[in-house]
Amino acid sequence: VPFAPTKQKRRRDGRKNATMASAGTTELLMIRHAPVVADGRLAGRRDVAADLAGVSLSSLAAEIAGAALVASPARRCLQTAAALCPGVAPETDPRLWEQDFGAWEGRPFADLPDLGPLTGAALAAHRPPEGESFADLCARTAPALAALAARGGRVAVVAHAGTVRAALVQAMGDVPAALAFQVAPLSLTRILVTPGGWSIACVNRVWA
């Protein structure tokens, strides 16, 4: 499956969380957008709104304070970024969009086809009609993630569950394995990138 070459795999628990990136390090703060306004339908590329009513963002906002801000151009991501960092205009990159589910977009969840038992590799390679597979998403996002990783310093990225998992692929060098991770709305996944490689500091951190 084609995707950008990754740096050497590091143990996910091999580095403690860092609040500031050290010299020569980029700290990618990968954030999934807030929950969406529920309509019971699949919303990969549909530009649905975020539902921020009653959501507490103070702890997450404190974690990313001072970081450069980048977002998917999806409305739900831009709304989340604005709520986390009021007055800060995020840089946007269309390569960070969620997986395109093609003909399945907008379908009620109950009407989506049952794919049956699939191996991780088969699931990662499965492409909905007129859409893209998770492996396709990883190939699409890899150049954008590599560019962010090359910046140095702290970079907060407000995007989608698929995009966060694609960043985990860059650290692990394994496309199917990233599908095993849960990525909750408003969760933080921290990835450190040094000249020696990518390492995963935490995944799916949430605040009550």
Side-chain angles (χ1 to χ4, degrees):
V1 177
F3 64 100
T6 60
K7 297 183 183 294
Q8 71 182 68
K9 178 179 176 182
R10 294 291 188 88
R11 289 181 54 185
R12 279 175 280 165
D13 59 352
R15 188 189 297 264
K16 295 183 180 295
N17 293 359
T19 57
M20 294 293 290
S22 59
T25 298
T26 300
E27 185 178 15
L28 294 178
L29 304 167
M30 304 295 301
I31 301 156
R32 186 182 176 188
H33 58 76
V36 300
V37 176
D39 65 358
R41 296 174 182 272
L42 184 62
R45 288 296 187 94
R46 286 197 303 140
D47 205 10
V48 297
D51 184 359
L52 290 157
V55 174
S56 175
L57 298 174
S58 57
S59 295
L60 178 55
E63 286 285 329
I64 67 171
L69 186 61
V70 180
S72 158
R75 176 165 52 154
R76 55 195 183 267
C77 295
L78 296 178
Q79 290 172 329
T80 302
L84 285 168
C85 304
V88 179
E91 175 186 339
T92 60
D93 189 330
R95 296 173 295 180
L96 299 175
W97 256 106
E98 181 59 287
Q99 183 176 344
D100 184 347
F101 291 100
W104 296 357
E105 292 281 349
R107 281 196 188 183
F109 291 118
D111 293 347
L112 293 174
D114 182 358
L115 299 179
L118 293 177
T119 65
L123 182 59
H126 184 271
R127 186 177 293 115
E130 304 172 30
E132 63 182 353
S133 67
F134 176 66
D136 293 334
L137 178 150
C138 291
R140 166 169 55 80
T141 58
L145 293 168
L148 294 173
R151 289 189 177 191
R154 304 173 72 237
V155 184
V157 182
V158 183
H160 310 269
T163 314
V164 175
R165 293 188 182 103
L168 293 170
V169 167
Q170 294 300 305
M172 296 186 297
D174 188 328
V175 174
L179 290 172
F181 289 96
Q182 293 188 5
V183 182
L186 294 173
S187 64
L188 173 65
T189 293
R190 179 182 279 113
I191 298 175
L192 301 179
V193 185
T194 70
W198 294 50
S199 63
I200 302 168
C202 73
V203 177
N204 198 39
R205 183 183 177 191
V206 295
W207 290 264

